[in-house]
Amino acid sequence: MTREEKSQVIEDLTAQLAGFQTIYLADISGLDAGSTSNLRRACFKADVKLSVVKNTLLAKAMEAADKDFADLPTVLKGNTSIMLSETGNAPAKVIKEFRKKSDKPLLKGAFVEEAVYVGDDYLETLVNIKSKEEVIGDIVGLLQSPAKNVVSALKSGGGKLAGILKTLSEKEG
């Protein structure tokens, strides 16, 4: 690989790192061709971009990026694949599901919404991170409950203020 080609790869990796808030580093070495194909298919279905990277080039891209990767570059040893996603827990879910049939991929580390996780021990923690959509859904659900109580009270109270207050006080108790 020429110096120009390396520079182009570093530039492309830096742009990819800048474009995603969820970056996982994994070890998929030892997977046979069929398993690798299945992993790529699982990533595609989960909207996770998977690619194998050269550690030295990724390290240089991390240095050039406008993000603080903290200790994440220390895991760049051996085989490294990068998993990029818009959803914080999507790559972790893919890894966890895939490991029901295989001992790989191993989580080397992750950068999720400016937090850094180093080591496979964090896989379960990362699986349990809620996406923005899930958090918004939880908030909407919490906000709907009191609104439903008020609507219910209006309907059952016969439209009179005393009846509405009585119904609401019974629901609180």
Side-chain angles (χ1 to χ4, degrees):
M1 186 177 277
T2 67
R3 182 171 289 177
E4 291 80 23
E5 291 171 330
K6 287 180 182 177
S7 294
Q8 185 60 50
V9 169
I10 292 168
E11 193 176 305
D12 292 346
L13 281 171
T14 304
Q16 287 180 346
L17 295 176
F20 289 90
Q21 288 299 313
T22 301
I23 302 160
Y24 282 60
L25 302 177
D27 177 1
I28 64 169
S29 64
L31 290 179
D32 61 28
S35 296
T36 302
S37 179
N38 290 339
L39 177 61
R40 288 188 182 281
R41 194 172 299 111
C43 286
F44 180 78
K45 285 180 183 174
D47 201 21
V48 174
K49 183 178 178 189
L50 172 72
S51 57
V52 177
V53 293
K54 190 167 171 118
N55 290 331
T56 53
L57 300 180
L58 180 56
K60 288 181 180 179
M62 287 175 141
E63 286 174 23
D66 290 337
K67 296 180 180 173
D68 180 11
F69 290 105
D71 292 338
L72 206 52
T74 63
V75 303
L76 296 176
K77 297 174 180 74
N79 181 298
T80 303
S81 294
I82 188 168
M83 301 173 86
L84 304 168
S85 177
E86 295 295 330
T87 307
N89 61 3
K93 287 181 177 181
V94 169
I95 292 171
K96 183 177 179 180
E97 185 63 29
F98 202 79
R99 289 211 333 222
K100 290 179 179 178
K101 301 175 216 134
S102 173
D103 61 341
K104 296 281 176 112
L106 291 176
L107 176 66
K108 291 176 141 190
F111 176 89
V112 181
E113 302 286 335
E114 299 183 21
V116 175
Y117 304 86
V118 176
D120 196 61
D121 297 342
Y122 285 103
L123 183 62
E124 198 61 38
T125 302
L126 291 165
V127 165
N128 292 322
I129 288 177
K130 290 193 174 195
S131 69
K132 288 178 186 172
E133 291 78 17
E134 291 169 326
V135 170
I136 290 170
D138 289 350
I139 292 169
V140 168
L142 290 171
L143 293 174
Q144 282 180 340
S145 182
K148 286 179 182 174
N149 287 342
V150 170
V151 170
S152 171
L154 288 170
K155 287 180 180 175
S156 67
K160 296 189 178 169
L161 190 56
I164 293 168
L165 292 173
K166 181 181 178 213
T167 305
L168 281 174
S169 65
E170 288 171 0
K171 287 192 179 220
E172 287 181 17

